[in-house]
Amino acid sequence: MLGTVTQGLDRAMDVLVVAAGLGCVWLGCRAVFQPRRPPEPIHGPVWVVRAWGLGFVLLGIALTIETVTLMTGGESGWTADVIRWVAGPLVVGSIVMAHVARGWQRHRARTMKGGRRA
């Protein structure tokens, strides 16, 4: 009895992860193809938005493929490596660069107003 409940919850979680992976692909495609109007989570220079979008597309594809593979009884393979070594650094690096770009933009705006502090 408990095993069937656990299996049902596992399947529900797998379906949720597949949906999240497809959502990542959708957000990433929006950022790659419309970098001037990026999704809410990321703002910055066009190249940062596109890097974030590419990372999210790769993350979503790899996450979806890995989850479907595990659901069908296969073993985790190259998709985990793509997430760990390609998609992860692209997403995290672009978020860091977006924060740096925003800070630099605020700094430039403050110095243009004449509010430079010594």
Side-chain angles (χ1 to χ4, degrees):
M1 173 74 174
L2 185 61
T4 55
V5 171
T6 305
Q7 288 173 350
L9 290 175
D10 284 344
R11 285 296 162 215
M13 184 56 93
D14 289 342
V15 169
L16 184 66
V17 170
V18 168
L22 294 175
C24 286
V25 172
W26 177 74
L27 271 177
C29 284
R30 273 189 57 198
V32 168
F33 294 120
Q34 298 174 350
R36 304 261 184 236
R37 294 185 353 210
E40 188 59 37
I42 190 77
H43 292 285
V46 171
W47 66 272
V48 169
V49 173
R50 284 203 170 130
W52 181 86
L54 181 63
F56 249 59
V57 167
L58 289 173
L59 177 68
I61 290 171
L63 193 61
T64 302
I65 290 172
E66 173 136 0
T67 304
V68 169
T69 301
L70 292 175
M71 283 173 59
T72 58
E75 292 189 21
S76 177
W78 60 271
T79 53
D81 294 334
V82 168
I83 291 171
R84 184 177 303 116
W85 297 110
V86 180
L90 267 175
V91 171
V92 172
S94 61
I95 290 171
V96 168
M97 289 308 299
H99 284 296
V100 167
R102 275 189 237 148
W104 182 250
Q105 198 173 29
R106 273 188 252 127
H107 173 72
R108 281 193 338 207
R110 192 171 43 228
T111 57
M112 293 299 275
K113 289 181 186 175
R116 185 175 189 125
R117 298 180 210 167

